[in-house]
Amino acid sequence: MMLSGGSRPEAPPAPDTDREAAITRLYREQWAGMVRLSLLMLGDRPSAEDAVQEAFAAMYRSWDKIKDGTRVEAYLRSAVLNTSRSVLRRRKLALLHRGQPEPAVWSAESAAMIGEDRREVLAALATLPARRREVLVMRFYLQLSDADIAQTLGISEVSVRSTTSRALKSLGHKLKEDR
């Protein structure tokens, strides 16, 4: 340790100061690369930036547990990958419960066309016999499996599949007639 003022040794920096300085340096050096890594996993920049931020926060909290200072970058990469995987798992779970997202609408004209197409499909669907309409709604709106539909309606899975096929065929004919 260096002596300052001649007689007293300089106090070592506080552990938090070392942690903060090290993580600040790592953040400056690695932020862009870690965001690119996460972006390749997640596909969108805001989520990638959030994942990297979470990884840095986790690293800050567990800094005292990192024993090998030469492996800090590897630890960070691993944390970013694990955080990105968690985001993907949450997305997958959300999709299972929410269904497919609406397609992107690029213009007011395309939104109007999509709205008109939906109205035509709903009108054609209303003309189908009740069982066919129910099967299609459960399959495509509620996204239920054949087994779930069969259980709900009290019919066999084979009946669900054949009813779906007939309903789609009828719906297709009705939509062609309307055009």
Side-chain angles (χ1 to χ4, degrees):
M1 287 192 199
M2 297 180 64
L3 296 177
S4 63
S7 61
R8 294 187 320 174
E10 205 175 276
D16 279 349
T17 305
D18 285 342
R19 173 182 13 198
E20 289 173 14
I23 290 180
T24 299
R25 178 194 55 76
L26 194 62
Y27 187 88
R28 286 183 183 138
E29 293 173 359
Q30 299 295 320
W31 171 259
M34 293 298 122
V35 170
R36 282 192 299 271
L37 172 65
S38 185
L39 181 59
L40 290 171
M41 293 282 294
L42 299 174
D44 71 288
R45 188 168 181 90
S47 295
E49 289 176 352
D50 288 345
V52 171
Q53 191 66 34
E54 283 182 43
F56 271 101
M59 177 178 260
Y60 183 84
R61 287 189 303 270
S62 61
W63 186 256
D64 296 334
K65 296 176 186 171
I66 300 173
K67 299 193 183 354
D68 186 358
T70 61
R71 303 224 355 106
V72 170
E73 289 178 22
Y75 176 86
L76 178 61
R77 255 190 317 277
S78 179
V80 168
L81 285 172
N82 287 336
T83 304
S84 297
R85 287 181 191 125
S86 293
V87 170
L88 290 173
R89 279 191 298 273
R90 286 190 301 262
R91 283 181 183 174
K92 185 176 179 181
L93 188 61
L95 281 175
L96 289 173
H97 292 288
R98 203 175 343 142
Q100 295 298 320
E102 292 293 321
V105 176
W106 301 107
S107 68
E109 181 181 321
S110 64
M113 290 173 60
I114 289 171
E116 181 61 31
D117 288 345
R118 283 188 184 145
R119 281 190 289 280
E120 287 177 19
V121 170
L122 290 174
L125 186 64
T127 65
L128 293 177
R131 173 64 53 90
R132 290 182 182 180
R133 186 173 55 244
E134 290 166 355
V135 168
L136 289 182
V137 167
M138 283 189 256
R139 165 69 55 81
F140 297 105
Y141 183 73
L142 298 178
Q143 297 181 340
L144 296 178
S145 68
D146 289 347
D148 291 337
I149 296 169
Q151 184 178 16
T152 301
L153 295 177
I155 59 177
S156 71
E157 288 184 47
V158 172
S159 294
V160 170
R161 288 190 288 274
S162 64
T163 303
T164 301
S165 176
R166 286 189 207 109
L168 288 173
K169 195 173 198 176
S170 295
L171 196 59
H173 289 304
K174 289 186 183 300
L175 290 172
K176 283 182 185 175
E177 290 172 5
D178 291 344
R179 290 187 180 219

